[in-house]
Amino acid sequence: MILRKGREIARNSLQSVAISRQAPLRLLDLAAQSLLSDEDSAMRALGELPVGLFPTLSTVAFEGGHTKTVTAMVQAWPFPCLHLGSLRDQSITQDLLEAVLDGLIPVLPYILKVTLSALLLLPHRRSKLKVLDFTHDFEHSNWEECSETSPAPFVITHVLEEPEADQLTPSFREQPRSDREPVDIYTDLFLGGLFGFFHLSGFPSYILQRVGKSHGCLRLHCRTLVINQVPFRSLIEILGMLELEAIREVRLHHRSRFCFQSDLIQFFTQLGQMSSLGKLIMSDIPWDFPADCFSLLSPLGHLQKLHLTFGCLSGQLHKMLSGLQKPLETLVINGCRITENDITYLSQSAHATRLKELVLCSNNLSQTVPGPLEVLLGEVSGTLQHLNLRSCRLKEAQLRALLPALCCCSRLRSLVFYDNVISTSGIMNVLQHLAGLKELKRVHYPVPAECIVYLDEYRWGNLNRVELARVHTRLQEMLQALQRADMELTNCTSMP
C-alpha cells in the first residue's frame, strides 16, 4: 500500500515538471516522509522502489535519523556515487556514520550487526555503489557518470539529472552478493592525541576498524592526513590501512622526545610510497631527528611544498633536499637553526630556480649577509612570489645589502620582514627601492626602532602607538607619491 502510494506520488510529481520546478520537490518529500512513517515497510519497499525516489528518500532518512533505513539504502544504492560531504563541515551523528558504513559490509558479516528478523527486511536489489565520499570537493572528473542533484543538507551524487519514465518501473530482483567489487571511501583523516597520550576514537576509529576487517571490500582513500601527537608505531599501523598512493597532503605534528629509529625508517618508507603526495608539513620533530631518513622520499615525483619546523636542522639541509626527485615550489624552514652552509647549499641546488615561496623565519641569518643569502635571492629572482624573513636578526645595513637582489624579484607579490631591528628611514628606503616591483601588493614591515624599546632580537616592549600611527601614515603617503597606493602595508601590531 505504501509502496503503491509512493509510486503514484512520484509519477504525478514527474508529470508536473513542465508546470513547476518547485512542486516535484515537495511531492517527492511527501512520498519519502510517507514511506518512512513505517521504517520496516520502507526497508521492505527499497527492493522495488523507483530509483528516482532514492536521493530524496535518503536525504529525509538522514535528516530524520532513520539509521536502519540508511543502512538498507546504502546496501541497495542504485547509483555509483554517494556524496555525504565533509565530516568537518556538517553535523552528522556517529550513529548515522556507522549506519552508512554498516551498509557497505557484505551481507554475511552484516548478520552480526542485525537480528535475523531485521535481515529479512533488507532490500533484494544489488547495490551499484562504487564511491562513498566524505570530502567537501570530491573530484567528479574521476567518475564522469556522476552529477550532483540540487543542494541538500546531505548532497546525494548519482548518475541522473532527473529520473526518466522507464526508470520508474521496479528493478528486477537481485540477491545480495558478498563478492561484489570493493567500495572506495574518500575522506580526510584527523588523528590526534592529548598531552602525549594517543587514543583513537570517534569516526576515524570506526572507519579504520571497518576497513581493517573488510578483507579488501572497503578501500580507504585519504587526501589530507593530519597527525597530531600520534606515536610513530601506531601511525605505521594506521597507514597500513590506507591507500597510500591517494594521499596528497600530510601534516605531522610530533613532540615526542624519543622514538625508535626503526619506526622512523618504516614511517618514511611509507611516506615514500605516497606517489601523489604534493605537500608535507612536519613540525616539532625531535632535535636528534636523523635527516638521512629523507632519502627514503626519493620516489616522490609530485612533492611541491615542504614545511619544516624542527628543533635543530643545522648543516642538515642538503641531506633532506638532495634526494628529492623534483624541485620544490614552496619551502618553509621555520626555527630550524639553519647555518650559512645550509643557505649556500640551497642557493646552489635545483630548488633555487623553481621556488615560488620561501619562508626562512625565526632563523639567525645575520651571518649570511653579505654572502649566501644575497646569492640565494638572486637565484630565486625569476620565480619567487612570496618571501618571509621574519625574525631573522637582520640589521638595517644587512637589509640594505639585500635590496639589489630583491629588486630583481620581478614576480614578488608579498614580503614579510617584521621583527627585525630597523629604523623608519630604513623601512622607507626598502619601500622606495621595491616600489618598482609592480606585482608586489603586500608588505609586512617591522615596528620602527623609534617607536619601541627592543629588549633583544625577539622581544620588545613600551610600544609608542601614536608614533607608530604617524609612521604608518608617512609610509602610505610616500607610496601614493610613488603611485603605489595599491601596495598594502601591515605591521606586526595590526596583524591578526
Side-chain angles (χ1 to χ4, degrees), residues 92-210:
I92 179 171
T93 66
Q94 180 79 12
D95 288 344
L96 283 171
L97 291 173
E98 292 179 4
V100 171
L101 295 179
D102 287 345
L104 299 179
I105 303 301
V107 171
L108 290 179
Y110 186 71
I111 296 177
L112 301 176
K113 184 72 178 179
V114 298
T115 62
L116 183 60
S117 59
L119 185 62
L120 295 176
L121 299 176
L122 292 178
H124 297 290
R125 187 203 299 264
R126 184 181 179 186
S127 173
K128 295 181 180 179
L129 186 61
K130 297 178 181 179
V131 173
L132 176 62
D133 174 40
F134 288 110
T135 65
H136 66 280
D137 58 350
F138 179 67
E139 295 180 346
H140 297 290
S141 58
N142 292 337
W143 295 91
E144 295 181 357
E145 68 271 30
C146 298
S147 61
E148 290 191 357
T149 63
S150 56
F154 300 93
V155 180
I156 309 303
T157 304
H158 61 92
V159 299
L160 305 173
E161 293 293 341
E162 294 176 357
E164 299 177 358
D166 60 343
Q167 290 163 331
L168 290 174
T169 58
S171 300
F172 63 90
R173 290 176 177 265
E174 282 190 288
Q175 295 296 327
R177 292 172 52 187
S178 61
D179 60 344
R180 65 186 183 190
E181 295 181 3
V183 174
D184 293 308
I185 303 175
Y186 288 82
T187 184
D188 297 328
L189 280 182
F190 302 84
L191 310 173
L194 186 62
F195 304 117
F197 296 97
F198 171 65
H199 175 67
L200 194 61
S201 60
F203 179 69
S205 173
Y206 195 81
I207 194 171
L208 287 170
Q209 288 178 12
R210 283 307 177 103

Side-chain angles (χ1 to χ4, degrees), residues 2 32-46 57 61-62 64-73 96 99 121-122:
I2 294 176
Q33 292 172 5
S34 176
L35 284 173
L36 289 171
S37 62
D38 183 345
E39 194 165 9
D40 288 344
S41 297
M43 293 171 62
R44 218 179 275 115
L46 289 179
L57 182 61
F62 267 102
H66 300 281
T67 55
K68 290 196 301 181
T69 302
V70 167
T71 297
M73 291 197 73
L96 283 171
L121 299 176
L122 292 178

Side-chain angles (χ1 to χ4, degrees), residues 272-303:
Q273 296 171 7
M274 300 178 186
S275 55
S276 299
L277 188 65
K279 184 175 183 178
L280 175 60
I281 300 176
M282 302 183 69
S283 61
D284 288 330
I285 304 301
W287 285 14
D288 58 351
F289 175 83
D292 292 338
C293 284
F294 263 74
S295 63
L296 298 171
L297 303 185
S298 58
L300 299 181
H302 293 89
L303 187 63

Side-chain angles (χ1 to χ4, degrees), residues 144-396:
E144 295 181 357
E145 68 271 30
C146 298
S147 61
E148 290 191 357
T149 63
S150 56
F154 300 93
V155 180
I156 309 303
T157 304
H158 61 92
V159 299
L160 305 173
E161 293 293 341
E162 294 176 357
E164 299 177 358
D166 60 343
Q167 290 163 331
L168 290 174
T169 58
S171 300
F172 63 90
R173 290 176 177 265
E174 282 190 288
Q175 295 296 327
R177 292 172 52 187
S178 61
D179 60 344
R180 65 186 183 190
E181 295 181 3
V183 174
D184 293 308
I185 303 175
Y186 288 82
T187 184
D188 297 328
L189 280 182
F190 302 84
L191 310 173
L194 186 62
F195 304 117
F197 296 97
F198 171 65
H199 175 67
L200 194 61
S201 60
F203 179 69
S205 173
Y206 195 81
I207 194 171
L208 287 170
Q209 288 178 12
R210 283 307 177 103
V211 171
K213 295 178 180 178
S214 70
H215 303 289
C217 293
L218 303 180
R219 296 185 299 204
L220 186 55
H221 300 258
C222 173
R223 295 181 309 171
T224 299
L225 178 61
V226 180
I227 307 153
N228 184 28
Q229 307 282 28
V230 179
F232 280 109
R233 188 156 294 181
S234 300
L235 181 56
I236 291 167
E237 184 178 351
I238 292 171
L239 290 177
M241 302 181 194
L242 306 181
E243 301 294 317
L244 297 180
E245 68 277 3
I247 300 177
R248 300 182 184 180
E249 179 177 345
V250 172
R251 304 180 190 179
L252 174 64
H253 178 72
H254 195 278
R255 285 188 174 181
S256 174
R257 295 182 177 271
F258 175 79
C259 55
F260 291 104
Q261 187 163 346
S262 59
D263 292 340
L264 279 174
I265 293 174
Q266 179 61 32
F267 169 68
F268 272 84
T269 300
Q270 290 175 313
L271 277 181
Q273 296 171 7
M274 300 178 186
S275 55
S276 299
L277 188 65
K279 184 175 183 178
L280 175 60
I281 300 176
M282 302 183 69
S283 61
D284 288 330
I285 304 301
W287 285 14
D288 58 351
F289 175 83
D292 292 338
C293 284
F294 263 74
S295 63
L296 298 171
L297 303 185
S298 58
L300 299 181
H302 293 89
L303 187 63
Q304 295 181 330
K305 300 179 181 181
L306 180 61
H307 295 232
L308 303 173
T309 306
F310 282 28
C312 185
L313 190 58
S314 300
Q316 305 277 346
L317 195 60
H318 68 286
K319 294 182 180 180
M320 307 186 78
L321 302 184
S322 60
L324 298 181
Q325 264 191 42
K326 191 175 181 181
L328 296 169
E329 293 185 359
T330 296
L331 178 60
V332 177
I333 306 176
N334 185 353
C336 296
R337 301 192 179 188
I338 55 177
T339 65
E340 184 176 351
N341 289 337
D342 292 319
I343 297 297
T344 299
Y345 161 74
L346 187 57
S347 67
Q348 298 172 352
S349 70
H351 305 286
T353 58
R354 298 291 185 88
L355 283 174
K356 295 180 179 180
E357 181 176 5
L358 178 61
V359 178
L360 299 174
C361 60
S362 300
N363 292 287
N364 184 358
L365 300 182
S366 60
Q367 303 302 315
T368 66
V369 183
L373 187 55
E374 296 170 83
V375 176
L376 174 59
L377 292 179
E379 292 295 325
V380 301
S381 61
T383 57
L384 191 64
Q385 298 176 1
H386 307 283
L387 176 63
N388 190 328
L389 297 175
R390 175 181 61 83
S391 299
C392 289
R393 302 194 185 186
L394 295 174
K395 300 293 194 273
E396 189 167 322

